[in-house]
Each structure stands twice: as C-alpha cells, then as structure tokens.
Amino acid sequence: EPAEPAEPENLLTMLANEVKMMKKQGQDSEAKLKSLFMEDFQAGVKRHNALLSQNKVLTETLEKMQSYHTRLEAADKHLQGTQSTLETRLHDGGLFMQKLSELTMAKPEAAVKALETLQKQK
C-alpha cells in the first residue's frame, strides 16, 4: 500500500513549527551578532579613551620638555657670556703678569721709569 498522504493540518503545523524555528534561529543569530558588535565597540571605546589619556600625558611631557629646552638655551647663553668674560679677564691677568715679570727682571732704574710710565697711563 502506498503511504498515506500527510494530513494537511499536520503539514501546516510542521511548516509553522519550521518557520518558528527559523525565526528563533534568526533572532538568536541577530542577538549573537549584536553582542559581538557591542563587545568590539566597547573594546574600541576603551582603546580610544586609553589613547586620549596617553595623548594628554605625551602632550604635557612635550610642553615640559620644550620649557626645559628654552630654559637650557637661556642658561647656555648666560654661560657663554660668563666664559667670554672670564677669558678676557684671564688674558688681561696674563698681560699684567707679563708686565710685572718684565718689571721685576729689569734694572732698578728702568723699573722705576716703567712704574712712572704706568702711573701716567692711568
């Protein structure tokens, strides 16, 4: 005997159940995708906030380093001026010592004459 055709009500019920199952699978899939998206989105927000914080720290550090650089340039300029002054004084001191040496090595009459000449120059 051939198989009896399925009852139309049973067939409709079976189709309705299949449609419900597919609908539920679709909803589950949508919920899973939404959950994955939200996880990735939240991770992105955290990463973005961390990068903003890091940028703020790096910007502050850069500003401090630029301030230090400016101060160091000013200190360097001051030290160069001091070096120039000291070199001039050292040279003048050397000239004085040279004249003093010449004066002490000279004969007494020449030394007296040289001292008189120096006093007239001042």
Side-chain angles (χ1 to χ4, degrees):
E1 268 177 61
E4 264 185 57
E7 297 275 332
E9 290 96 23
N10 287 341
L11 193 54
L12 283 176
T13 304
M14 189 171 76
L15 284 174
N17 287 340
E18 289 292 321
V19 167
K20 285 181 187 176
M21 192 179 347
M22 288 177 68
K23 184 178 178 183
K24 182 170 180 356
Q25 286 176 347
Q27 289 171 341
D28 290 348
S29 207
E30 184 180 336
K32 179 69 174 169
L33 285 174
K34 186 176 180 179
S35 171
L36 289 173
F37 171 79
M38 290 306 293
E39 286 175 19
D40 287 347
F41 180 77
Q42 292 300 325
V45 167
K46 285 181 183 178
R47 174 98 174 113
H48 178 72
N49 289 336
L51 289 172
L52 287 176
S53 295
Q54 184 180 24
N55 185 41
K56 181 180 177 187
V57 168
L58 291 174
T59 301
E60 290 172 356
T61 302
L62 177 62
E63 289 171 358
K64 286 179 185 176
M65 292 297 113
Q66 288 171 337
S67 173
Y68 290 147
H69 179 73
T70 302
R71 289 168 47 196
L72 285 173
E73 283 180 330
D76 184 53
K77 186 176 179 181
H78 173 73
L79 289 174
Q80 287 176 1
T82 302
Q83 179 183 11
S84 177
T85 301
L86 291 175
E87 285 174 350
T88 302
R89 288 182 182 174
L90 181 61
H91 178 72
D92 292 346
L95 289 177
F96 174 76
M97 294 300 283
Q98 183 181 5
K99 288 181 182 179
L100 186 60
S101 171
E102 290 171 3
L103 191 61
T104 50
M105 298 302 282
K107 293 182 180 177
E109 300 84 27
V112 169
K113 188 175 180 183
L115 282 174
E116 288 172 357
T117 306
L118 283 175
Q119 286 178 352
K120 288 179 186 175
Q121 287 178 355
K122 288 186 178 184

